[in-house]
Amino acid sequence: MRDPRNPFRMRASEQIASDATFLKLFAPGVLALLPTEGLFDRLHVFQSAPGGGKTSLMRLFTPTSLLTLHAYRADEDYKDLYQHLKSMGVLDDSGPRLLGVMLSCAKNYAVLEDMELEDKRKDRLLFSLLNCRIVLAALRGALDLRRLDYPDHLGRLQLNITHELSEVLGIPLSSTGEQVYEWARKIESSICQTLDSLEPSPSLSLVGHDELYASHILRPEQVMIDGAQIADRVLIMLDDVHKLARRQRECLIRALVGFRNTASVWIAERLEALSASELLDVGAIENRDYGQIINLESFWRSPSKRFETTARDIANRRARIATDVEIESFEGCLQSTLDGAEWANKFQVALETVTSRVRETADADVDNRFREWVGTLESFEGTTREKLLAWRTAEILIEREKRKQQLTFPFPFSTEDLEKKDDSAVRAAAELFLMQKLRIPYYFGFSRLVAIASSNIEQFLAVGGDLFEEAASAALIKKPHDLPPERQQKIIQKMATHWWDSELPRRIPYSRETRILIEAIARYAYWETYKPNAPYSPGVTGIAITMADREKLRNTSFLETRPDAGRLAAVIATCLAHNILEAVPNYPQGYQFWMVMYLNRLLCVHFGLPLQYGGWRPKGIDELCRWQQGGFRPPEKGEHLL
Amino acid sequence: MKVGQSQRSARWTDYVLRGRSNFAPFWKFYLRSQERHILFVLGLGFDPRMCSAIREILNQGGDGKRNCQLLVFDEGPDSPSKQHSDRVQQNREVLQQLLADQGSIREHELRMWSADGRRIGSRNAALVFRRIEDLSAYTDIIVDISALPRSIYFPLIGKLLSLLDGRQHNTSPPNLHVVVCESVDIDRLIHAEGIDDDATYLHGFSGGVDMEATAGIPRIWIPILGEDQAGELERIYDLVHPDEICPVLPFSSGDPRRGDNLILEYRQLLLDRFRVEPRNIIFASEKNPFEVYRELTKTVIQYCNSLSPLKGCKVVISTLSSKLLSLGALLTAYELRTLVGIAHVEVSGYVMPIVDPNILNNVSEELFEIWLVGECYAT
């Protein structure tokens, strides 16, 4: 394959064939999401929207990645990552200490459910297919760990299994890798041929298993090569578990929970915030049967700089490997200030307008409450842009106070009052209002690019890729490659519009209904955000339903009586699964728990909304059902927008 | 594994393809040469081309039975295709009128979704004909794929080929024809909506590609490119994880720039993300499925032979273009089914804008006859 011209276009894991490139691009900060205790002692569940980074994380622990990392451990690009993994006991100076077995559940497992067989027999076939595939992947991984050829050197592998297993599976107590390979290959081949057969009836001779025996076969002390134990630990990683049929997923999780401290298993699946939690359904107990469920997006959202730091590392690593240009820092490609001379005039004109408007409002106040504020603002030192922002912030605060006048005594406000009320949220609202009114860039700079990524690495790479494309082109023809704010905003807005207009309708189910609901939420958020007093500054970017309503949307008997709610539940589930809405469940507020659903930040760009989180409004199922059918319409006697 | 050139002479090296102005004369000659008992296999859909081929064939006269197996498939309550139910009904009525005095229509309902929301249409399509005896009353089976989705006609034709190939050799097989009505104008009007999250291997055409026992063997992906399929390409890529990609572009083509335009459309995806080597691009005629078949078969065999020191390769073909080109892929995948898989992404449905009926009546349509099994191949 060709060398990467724009490395941002390579997807995190799937499209990077070389382990060395994959590791070079892997930001060690990602490892912070792994629990510090019991990492290899119990079942861990990783959930995220597509592109969240689950597969990349698992790939890191596969034998070829670990071997490559070990080989490059002295290289600057790999040193940090090596030290991180070393501290986790995954490898040391002698080499990898862990045999990671990664298997995707996106294969043909779900087809088993379509066979004309009893459920019990289907489960047995699911287990046997999983067993033989895990074992086959482990055999390959074991040879990789010793840099031996697969399957040619399987004879050097030895697996010692227990009497019981030997009898159940028909494998000798002490088998060579070749014998185990043949056993697993035959089972897999017969089941796959049956699954793909154009004939209707399945073969009766198919081998089924009662349990997930693979974890017992692969105990670290039982897997030897040339007489020596191959690794201290064996880690089984099952990716894309959500792609199993619902019943299979329950069956698998029940089996995995039953392992309890006998095997290291990680599973990764897409976030399904509205579907039943199989872990809870099978009666599993957190920290006993399984570790904490790790939601990748939630992890990145808090604390707020965590994602930014990792994203910066990811971006710089990619920028550095571009073939045609030399760009050391991606952040350096993005101008992050509007204090240049080209904006000064525009700000000056705007400043005069806003200043005279605030003065007029202050003069019109019969109680002269804002006179001191005007004085303070007039003596404010700073650039024109900073002054403009200060005056516009004060205008919002005055508007708020005017609305309170019926309820408060009309005492004049002091400078201290202004300082107290002038917080970052109001200033952010003022900046947004100015952007909207003066048409000056708002969506630019590295920090905002990170915010636009909605805590999703793939989305970050997609938006960053478009920006890098332009910067790299400029660098190629020896022009300055730091993109000005207005160009950045144009590129980002173009991408957001393309996503909304062209990508979403093609790529998701219920696309028509989804667009109606999302547009309703966005229009409602816009209506709330741009009220002159910015009541939920910096703005509204989400809605919330109570957790009780969420339960209703998961309750099939309720949904049967309310087809409109059924449609709503399906659309919301689609939005959450595709990261169109970002869910924050169990958010406590006002004696209730809520499931907050924020718009994806790329949609905030499309609809001209702020990028900060926190601004959400409660909604009921009935109202959302109405939005789902007819969209959002602001009240006729509502307030004028800015 | 090594595929010896000498051992493998491609099955459809010599073929019968009759298209455009040769379609009607072929059927006139064919039907009048002797009595023919025909079973038409059609899909019921909103596509205006649904009845074009059967109408033309019935117009050519001839003696014998003229029955129809009509596949009625429901793409689910959320399918955007639902909004075209009036057009579907119109097509049904046209078909009934066409066969009113000549034969019977038997409807076969194809379940497309399982109770827990998984797609099962592909699997059920392979069960439309279960035994060779189901075909014994006919001299000719004509599968019209004009209004059938790929996920249905691939397993359906695959099963028919398998039944006919598996028959006892002392019996003469019925002739198997595939007919298709191509129209660039109508293709431009119809758009897919809501592609599935995941690509899959078509039932009967997995080619053992996702077997773990052979997971280390190099994978070659041959996507046959058509317009507006970026989402499908990405999803199939995620399924296949290829080591090498050989895109197929249409050339010769009605629009000589079509290949260039496809490269322009997918330049970012193919060159930046998938990092395709430009020298891997394969060209195949837009209107000749047998040429596509020949090119694909040759490519698969060459790759398998070249990579035999690495224990061969697995090849995955994806058809993201016209039905004629797709048929070429089907033939290759059927013939080399232990080596080749067909990866595919389903969609929720298709939409077509409301168009003035006069415009629809005047769009250019091209009918093609592809004869796959039967007397013309008798040795």
Side-chain angles (χ1 to χ4, degrees):
Chain A
M1 295 207 180
R2 296 163 62 245
D3 287 334
R5 194 181 56 81
N6 181 348
F8 285 75
R9 302 278 189 233
M10 295 191 295
R11 281 268 299 280
S13 179
E14 289 87 343
Q15 289 162 15
I16 305 171
S18 139
D19 283 312
T21 310
F22 166 71
L23 293 165
K24 193 182 246 187
L25 298 179
F26 194 97
V30 171
L31 296 176
L33 64 81
L34 296 174
T36 45
E37 280 184 27
L39 182 59
F40 300 112
D41 296 342
R42 55 177 83 108
L43 171 66
H44 287 286
V45 182
F46 298 87
Q47 293 182 332
S48 86
K54 305 177 291 286
T55 307
S56 298
L57 182 70
M58 287 186 162
R59 180 176 168 181
L60 180 64
F61 293 88
T62 57
T64 52
S65 293
L66 295 178
L67 275 175
T68 309
L69 184 60
H70 183 257
Y72 285 91
R73 63 191 184 281
D75 189 304
E76 272 309 312
D77 287 331
Y78 303 86
K79 218 180 237 176
D80 272 3
L81 189 57
Y82 174 74
Q83 289 303 334
H84 268 83
L85 291 186
K86 192 178 173 186
S87 68
M88 291 160 64
V90 171
L91 35 62
D92 61 21
D93 292 338
S94 63
R97 310 300 308 158
L98 174 129
L99 171 59
V101 182
M102 183 176 168
L103 200 71
S104 168
C105 293
K107 293 189 176 185
N108 51 356
Y109 301 99
V111 183
L112 280 168
E113 284 297 290
D114 304 331
M115 295 177 80
E116 292 165 1
L117 293 170
E118 288 172 11
D119 284 353
K120 196 157 184 178
R121 182 135 166 75
K122 288 181 196 168
D123 293 346
R124 296 188 78 237
L125 290 177
L126 171 69
F127 282 139
S128 60
L129 196 52
L130 278 167
N131 281 331
C132 64
R133 283 182 170 164
I134 292 171
V135 168
L136 285 166
L139 294 177
R140 199 173 66 249
L143 290 186
D144 284 342
L145 268 188
R146 291 288 179 271
R147 297 189 187 281
L148 297 173
D149 290 337
Y150 174 85
D152 298 347
H153 292 129
L154 279 169
R156 289 170 64 179
L157 262 176
Q158 194 179 2
L159 283 100
N160 303 309
I161 57 170
T162 60
H163 267 289
E164 293 83 1
L165 268 184
S166 171
E167 276 176 24
V168 172
L169 301 176
I171 313 174
L173 276 173
S174 179
S175 315
T176 62
E178 276 167 344
Q179 287 169 310
V180 178
Y181 172 84
E182 264 316 298
W183 165 81
R185 190 194 61 75
K186 275 185 189 157
I187 294 175
E188 187 192 30
S189 171
S190 61
I191 295 178
C192 287
Q193 276 175 20
T194 305
L195 289 179
D196 197 40
S197 168
L198 293 165
E199 301 305 318
S201 28
S203 160
L204 292 173
S205 60
L206 293 176
V207 177
H209 294 159
D210 294 325
E211 280 180 51
L212 211 52
Y213 295 119
S215 64
H216 302 292
I217 300 173
L218 298 174
R219 286 177 190 273
E221 65 276 13
Q222 294 174 176
V223 186
M224 321 282 276
I225 197 153
D226 298 335
Q229 187 173 324
I230 197 148
D232 297 341
R233 293 192 181 96
V234 177
L235 170 65
I236 298 170
M237 298 174 284
L238 300 175
D239 197 8
D240 299 319
V241 170
H242 61 277
K243 290 180 184 173
L244 294 174
R246 199 178 304 154
R247 220 181 49 77
Q248 292 177 322
R249 200 163 149 204
E250 283 171 17
C251 181
L252 172 67
I253 288 174
R254 192 171 286 118
L256 292 175
V257 165
F259 280 175
R260 209 179 298 166
N261 297 334
T262 58
S264 308
V265 182
W266 294 356
I267 62 175
E269 58 181 6
R270 200 172 60 190
L271 176 68
E272 307 265 359
L274 275 190
S275 69
S277 162
E278 288 79 3
L279 286 167
L280 299 177
D281 291 349
V282 299
I285 297 171
E286 186 172 314
N287 290 329
R288 186 196 69 179
D289 300 325
Y290 65 96
Q292 212 179 351
I293 296 177
I294 301 159
N295 179 296
L296 272 63
E297 276 83 13
S298 303
F299 171 82
W300 291 124
R301 266 199 290 271
S302 137
S304 58
K305 287 285 171 193
R306 189 187 265 166
F307 186 66
E308 186 171 334
T309 310
T310 305
R312 180 178 290 109
D313 192 12
I314 290 172
N316 290 341
R317 282 168 182 268
R318 286 187 183 243
R320 283 200 290 269
I321 65 159
T323 48
D324 299 336
V325 289
E326 273 187 30
I327 295 178
E328 275 299 304
S329 155
F330 176 64
E331 207 170 348
C333 299
L334 310 175
Q335 285 182 19
S336 59
T337 171
L338 290 172
D339 289 330
E342 66 274 31
W343 299 103
N345 261 348
K346 203 163 192 176
F347 287 138
Q348 188 56 46
V349 175
L351 179 62
E352 283 158 20
T353 312
V354 175
T355 309
S356 69
R357 212 164 55 205
V358 173
R359 283 195 188 113
E360 268 172 38
T361 312
D363 290 347
D365 187 69
V366 290
D367 301 311
N368 272 330
R369 290 179 300 160
F370 307 112
R371 191 189 299 159
E372 193 173 329
W373 283 11
V374 172
T376 308
L377 289 166
E378 279 168 348
S379 58
F380 181 84
E381 295 284 335
T383 62
T384 314
R385 190 183 64 83
E386 287 165 345
K387 283 183 191 165
L388 175 61
L389 200 57
W391 280 90
R392 190 64 187 87
T393 306
E395 190 176 22
I396 293 172
L397 294 174
I398 291 171
E399 186 64 35
R400 285 184 184 178
E401 295 307 328
K402 274 168 58 188
R403 286 167 189 240
K404 288 187 201 163
Q405 64 189 0
Q406 304 289 324
L407 308 170
T408 54
F409 292 109
F411 298 132
F413 289 107
S414 65
T415 303
E416 287 75 34
D417 291 331
L418 178 63
E419 282 164 4
K420 225 181 282 171
K421 290 171 192 290
D422 177 6
D423 60 16
S424 60
V426 189
R427 246 176 287 134
E431 191 186 352
L432 185 73
F433 287 7
L434 286 169
M435 177 274 285
Q436 196 70 6
K437 192 79 181 167
L438 302 176
R439 302 200 174 282
I440 55 173
Y442 178 79
Y443 306 109
F444 68 94
F446 187 76
S447 294
R448 291 216 169 124
L449 168 64
V450 170
I452 289 164
S454 271
S455 313
N456 186 283
I457 290 169
E458 194 174 309
Q459 191 165 316
F460 171 74
L461 291 174
V463 186
D466 281 6
L467 294 166
F468 186 79
E469 182 74 41
E470 182 120 339
S473 304
L476 199 63
I477 54 169
K478 314 278 184 229
K479 288 202 165 175
H481 64 266
D482 54 335
L483 302 179
E486 67 275 24
R487 188 62 199 142
Q488 292 177 46
Q489 170 150 310
K490 214 168 186 178
I491 292 169
I492 294 170
Q493 280 176 330
K494 187 178 167 196
M495 187 187 182
T497 303
H498 178 71
W499 191 51
W500 174 251
D501 287 340
S502 307
E503 299 281 305
L504 282 187
R506 289 268 297 130
R507 296 189 183 216
I508 55 163
Y510 309 105
S511 60
R512 214 170 290 258
E513 294 92 332
T514 301
R515 275 169 59 92
I516 294 172
L517 181 69
I518 294 297
E519 189 156 352
I521 295 172
R523 297 217 175 283
Y524 168 75
Y526 189 92
W527 178 71
E528 288 281 19
T529 298
Y530 288 99
K531 285 178 178 169
N533 60 333
Y536 309 103
S537 55
V540 172
T541 58
I543 54 155
I545 55 174
T546 62
M547 289 304 281
D549 276 351
R550 174 191 180 245
E551 285 311 308
K552 280 187 188 172
L553 291 179
R554 293 169 57 175
N555 183 330
T556 42
S557 39
F558 169 74
L559 298 180
E560 275 166 18
T561 62
R562 286 280 308 270
D564 56 341
R567 306 282 301 164
L568 178 70
V571 169
I572 290 179
T574 298
C575 291
L576 296 172
H578 290 83
N579 213 20
I580 297 165
L581 290 174
E582 301 172 45
V584 182
N586 290 312
Y587 187 88
Q589 181 149 310
Y591 305 107
Q592 289 203 76
F593 284 93
W594 302 84
M595 183 165 86
V596 183
M597 292 176 282
Y598 290 110
L599 290 166
N600 184 299
R601 301 294 100 168
L602 199 52
L603 291 174
C604 291
V605 173
H606 180 68
F607 289 102
L609 295 168
L611 300 173
Q612 290 87 346
Y613 290 89
W616 55 268
R617 304 296 301 140
K619 293 289 152 203
I621 289 177
D622 292 343
E623 189 171 6
L624 291 179
C625 285
R626 281 197 299 278
W627 284 7
Q628 172 76 76
Q629 279 153 18
F632 164 75
R633 286 191 186 84
E636 282 183 10
K637 287 186 178 174
E639 294 173 85
H640 291 291
L641 294 186
L642 195 71
Chain B
M1 96 198 59
K2 190 158 178 137
V3 184
Q5 290 274 26
S6 55
Q7 293 162 17
R8 284 215 164 269
S9 60
R11 173 174 175 175
W12 286 284
T13 303
D14 301 312
Y15 56 84
V16 177
L17 169 72
R18 293 289 179 269
R20 302 172 182 140
S21 57
N22 293 324
F23 185 84
F26 165 79
W27 281 106
K28 190 173 193 174
F29 169 79
Y30 185 75
L31 295 176
R32 293 185 184 185
S33 61
Q34 66 181 76
E35 186 181 60
R36 305 271 182 189
H37 301 296
I38 298 176
L39 175 66
F40 293 98
V41 184
L42 268 77
L44 178 65
F46 71 81
D47 195 311
R49 292 168 287 191
M50 183 189 130
C51 298
S52 300
I54 188 171
R55 181 190 291 116
E56 193 67 43
I57 294 170
L58 290 172
N59 280 345
Q60 306 312 317
D63 297 325
K65 280 186 273 192
R66 302 286 187 265
N67 291 340
C68 176
Q69 178 99 306
L70 183 63
L71 306 180
V72 183
F73 45 88
D74 184 350
E75 289 170 306
D78 308 312
S79 168
S81 308
K82 285 276 172 197
Q83 55 189 293
H84 303 301
S85 48
D86 51 339
R87 282 191 179 136
V88 174
Q89 188 52 31
Q90 270 175 23
N91 277 343
R92 190 197 294 265
E93 285 164 12
V94 170
L95 182 67
Q96 283 166 347
Q97 284 164 16
L98 285 171
L99 286 165
D101 303 321
Q102 303 198 51
S104 62
I105 301 174
R106 200 173 72 187
E107 294 200 358
H108 182 108
E109 198 163 323
L110 265 184
R111 274 185 65 218
M112 302 294 281
W113 292 92
S114 70
D116 65 346
R118 281 172 304 99
R119 290 191 183 271
I120 51 171
S122 184
R123 204 168 181 83
N124 284 337
L127 302 179
V128 173
F129 300 102
R130 290 183 175 239
R131 302 180 314 270
I132 185 76
E133 290 76 26
D134 295 344
L135 311 172
S136 57
Y138 301 97
T139 58
D140 292 85
I141 315 297
I142 302 177
V143 183
D144 185 346
I145 60 172
S146 305
L148 283 175
R150 232 170 263 136
S151 60
I152 301 300
Y153 71 77
F154 263 69
L156 177 70
I157 295 173
K159 180 61 176 281
L160 284 169
L161 283 169
S162 157
L163 286 175
L164 296 177
D165 288 349
R167 81 196 188 281
Q168 290 182 339
H169 283 285
N170 53 4
T171 59
S172 60
N175 297 293
L176 175 62
H177 311 262
V178 175
V179 292
V180 59
C181 176
E182 291 273 21
S183 167
V184 179
D185 298 330
I186 296 175
D187 283 344
R188 278 198 195 115
L189 288 173
I190 297 177
H191 294 283
E193 269 195 7
I195 58 174
D196 281 4
D197 289 339
D198 305 306
T200 52
Y201 293 103
L202 276 177
H203 177 57
F205 294 91
S206 81
V209 176
D210 54 2
M211 297 264 289
E212 193 61 36
T214 50
I217 291 176
R219 289 178 183 212
I220 315 299
W221 180 33
I222 309 181
I224 301 175
L225 299 181
E227 290 78 5
D228 199 19
Q229 303 282 321
E232 283 86 341
L233 279 167
E234 281 179 60
R235 279 156 169 78
I236 296 171
Y237 184 98
D238 289 345
L239 173 76
V240 179
H241 293 165
D243 298 283
E244 189 95 346
I245 303 173
C246 305
V248 178
L249 292 176
F251 190 84
S252 58
S253 163
D255 170 8
R257 282 196 59 83
R258 192 173 170 217
D260 293 353
N261 292 336
L262 284 168
I263 288 292
L264 273 176
E265 182 180 347
Y266 298 124
R267 65 191 185 285
Q268 186 179 309
L269 197 61
L270 292 179
L271 303 178
D272 290 343
R273 288 185 62 180
F274 300 164
R275 289 181 288 148
V276 171
E277 290 284 359
R279 64 168 177 254
N280 285 0
I281 291 172
I282 300 169
F283 295 95
S285 168
E286 187 179 62
K287 299 291 182 196
N288 187 339
F290 291 104
E291 191 189 320
V292 178
Y293 153 78
R294 209 163 44 209
E295 287 297 326
L296 295 180
T297 305
K298 192 174 75 185
T299 307
V300 173
I301 290 171
Q302 280 175 354
Y303 262 109
C304 284
N305 288 340
S306 306
L307 297 172
S308 57
L310 299 175
K311 301 191 169 45
C313 65
K314 298 177 183 181
V315 181
V316 179
I317 303 176
S318 306
T319 61
L320 303 158
S321 189
S322 68
K323 288 186 166 147
L324 273 179
L325 288 171
S326 302
L327 269 178
L330 188 155
L331 299 183
T332 301
Y334 178 77
E335 190 172 7
L336 303 174
R337 54 191 175 278
T338 54
L339 300 172
V340 178
I342 299 279
H344 169 73
V345 191
E346 301 259 19
V347 296
S348 299
Y350 295 85
V351 287
M352 184 172 153
I354 297 167
V355 185
D356 182 345
N358 292 328
I359 296 176
L360 276 185
N361 291 336
N362 292 324
V363 294
S364 65
E365 287 183 349
E366 293 176 326
L367 292 166
F368 289 86
E369 142 75 6
I370 300 108
W371 194 346
L372 294 183
V373 178
E375 54 205 62
C376 68
Y377 296 100
T379 49

